Amino acid sequence: MLSEFDLIKQYFVRPARAPQLQSRVQLGIGDDCALLGIAPGQSFAISSDMLVEGRHFFAGEDPRRLGHKSLAVNLSDLAAMGARPAGFTLALALPAADRDWLAGFSAGLFALADAHDCELIGGDTTKGPLNICITVFGEVVPGQALRRDAARPGDDIWISGTLGDARLALAGMRGEVALAPDAQRQAEARLHLPAPRVALGRLLAENGLARAAIDISDGLVGDLDHILERSGVGATLDIDALPAGPVLATCDIALRRNYAAAGGDDYELCFTAAPEQRAAILAAGAASGTPVTRVGRIDASPGLQLTDGQGAPLELRLAGFDHFGSQ
Amino acid sequence: MLSEFDLIKQYFVRPARAPQLQSRVQLGIGDDCALLGIAPGQSFAISSDMLVEGRHFFAGEDPRRLGHKSLAVNLSDLAAMGARPAGFTLALALPAADRDWLAGFSAGLFALADAHDCELIGGDTTKGPLNICITVFGEVVPGQALRRDAARPGDDIWISGTLGDARLALAGMRGEVALAPDAQRQAEARLHLPAPRVALGRLLAENGLARAAIDISDGLVGDLDHILERSGVGATLDIDALPAGPVLATCDIALRRNYAAAGGDDYELCFTAAPEQRAAILAAGAASGTPVTRVGRIDASPGLQLTDGQGAPLELRLAGFDHFGSQ
């Protein structure tokens, strides 16, 4: 039987690596607390996400993909703040200490962590229904952080990457839509292996290009609404300007509009910026290898108006995701 | 039906309070990340604990006590580092959004948080088997932090408060021992409402009184062993010097020795210090309202020797708590 200490030692404590130039970790796994330093003038951006089997992922999900996604959704929160990843804690409840599962999970987790120089600094393991709770720490100059309450009337609304393929994959898995096997696989990659937009978020924050930002986890319309509410503004969104994922782009217009606007699980950034920043934002997108698309504008009057490609008002029945709702 | 957003708003977002003189929270609940600042020269001490129903507490546990304990076990990790509490995140999986449960849980949580000026800065709520994951942040000067690897031969070994009543309460609840109702209630208060030794930990660290420290969650012998292993030293522990809890003190010697030495769930501090600090440590105990007791010494040769009150070697069958073991 694998003990708790052996489990941590074998799968989560790694041999000392070449010291990272920017590492802030002063004391890692193995004490009562980790110690994380910070550069002068910076604050810690902190976010926590909990993933539950049967709610956020299906039972039997591939552990490597799950390791990736568990960290990715947290890094996406740092990206939406414009923060540089510094470290994370992992608390893990497992039904059993399964070696294959642990090897896969930790491999997926560390591959993404290493890609972002984000070190595992501590956490907890226990027996229980499968539950993965990650808390992530990033560095940001507080005045540069991309807050939800910073949108202003006249701002452009931008989206990174593409929307809707993750939701389409879920629909295919549930039998709600029928996709060709290749298309289903392609869409599922978006669902299981989201790419947090950390590089873009940092460029937007550190160069003062964007005002407000949020990451799109529950569907664009619902998430944008958080910006509107906290900023005390409204918005007009051109549904047909939304960048549909490559698989969703082959579907009919009703599905395309619905999943792009309210699909969920996209982990793209929605951000607002002054119109004079358009060229700089396109350049930041290019520099970070992240497509960026302008999809609407912030209005002074409250409420969210949806329009089609011709600017005509649209009424769509859309709903974001609520963990305690009926969905 | 209570939505996820309403749940957070009603039970976890509180009206703005008078600004705390020392508050480091620059941005709290409601954005992608919280922002936490830090004083110059300090580092963040960070710890995560996950509490699972049926594992760390019984189903149907009083939610107010559970709110207290969930934060207390994390504050205890800060105490063992000598850090000042600054804030925490809460990730919560709930089978249902039960108003009575939420009201009790949040009341217990915030009562302890306020007592330690430790603000809830963010988190996550989702539906799932009851699981409480808290990550806590404290401030500490890195050179003053009480690390597990800092014990030296010749150090005294000290214990805060008393040991064993929490384990005794559990034995009573399981029917392994029979206590009078009043005694059972008194012991259960230690199990359900541990008092993290934050004030003592800070005095020990900030005044350079202690070297190594750990909090006793899995049983003294097992937890002390982490100090010995990481410091490359051994120890001699006088079992009969261990300060048994007031209820345990009325039990027979075998139970007293066993539960004091390896009971678990005590959340007291075990720390080592040079003998010349004895008077200062007693004064720090008095200043923080925390009894402190000297119970042994650190040896150069590895291994843990247990002795009785006369210094004669003892062989006891003791085991710490392993979440994936057979206990």
Side-chain angles (χ1 to χ4, degrees), chain B residues 21-40:
Chain B
L21 203 64
Q22 296 187 300
S23 176
R24 308 289 185 214
V25 183
Q26 297 162 335
L27 180 64
I29 295 173
D31 215 303
D32 296 286
C33 292
L35 293 180
L36 201 59
I38 192 163

Side-chain angles (χ1 to χ4, degrees), chain A residues 185-243:
Chain A
R185 263 192 300 275
Q186 190 183 346
E188 281 185 27
R190 271 306 298 268
L191 178 65
H192 296 304
L193 297 167
R197 301 304 193 180
V198 172
L200 175 65
R202 289 186 61 190
L203 287 175
L204 296 176
E206 292 169 9
N207 299 299
L209 304 182
R211 287 201 178 108
I214 193 169
D215 78 319
I216 306 170
S217 52
D218 296 341
L220 169 60
V221 164
D223 286 322
L224 174 59
D225 197 53
H226 295 309
I227 288 184
L228 304 186
E229 193 181 323
R230 289 184 70 93
S231 298
V233 296
T236 304
L237 204 59
D238 176 356
I239 288 285
D240 293 328
L242 296 181

Side-chain angles (χ1 to χ4, degrees), chain B residues 77-156:
Chain B
D77 284 315
L78 291 187
M81 218 71 195
R84 188 183 76 79
F88 68 103
T89 59
L90 166 69
L92 196 55
L94 296 170
D98 178 307
R99 288 177 186 275
D100 286 344
W101 193 94
L102 284 161
F105 181 84
S106 58
L109 184 81
F110 283 128
L112 187 66
D114 289 348
H116 290 278
D117 271 341
C118 190
E119 294 183 52
L120 176 63
I121 60 172
D124 197 9
T125 58
T126 184
K127 196 166 179 169
L130 185 54
N131 184 308
I132 303 155
C133 182
I134 286 181
T135 305
V136 76
F137 315 100
E139 282 184 324
V140 67
V141 175
Q144 292 179 344
L146 306 174
R147 300 165 57 133
R148 295 183 183 177
D149 60 6
R152 294 192 208 162
D155 276 4
D156 294 324

Side-chain angles (χ1 to χ4, degrees), chain B residues 144 146 155 158 200 202-212 271-285:
Chain B
Q144 292 179 344
L146 306 174
D155 276 4
W158 295 79
L200 175 65
R202 288 185 63 189
L203 287 175
L204 295 176
E206 292 168 9
N207 299 299
L209 305 183
R211 287 202 176 108
F271 57 97
T272 85
E276 57 265 32
Q277 301 292 358
R278 284 177 192 172
I281 286 168
L282 290 170

Side-chain angles (χ1 to χ4, degrees), chain B residues 199-226:
Chain B
L200 175 65
R202 288 185 63 189
L203 287 175
L204 295 176
E206 292 168 9
N207 299 299
L209 305 183
R211 287 202 176 108
I214 192 168
D215 77 320
I216 305 170
S217 52
D218 297 342
L220 169 60
V221 164
D223 286 322
L224 174 59
D225 197 53
H226 295 308

Side-chain angles (χ1 to χ4, degrees), chain B residues 10 72 94 123 127 177 193 208 293 306 323 327:
Chain B
Q10 284 184 36
L94 296 170
K127 196 166 179 169
V177 300
L193 296 168
T293 308
L306 304 179
H323 285 293
Q327 192 174 352

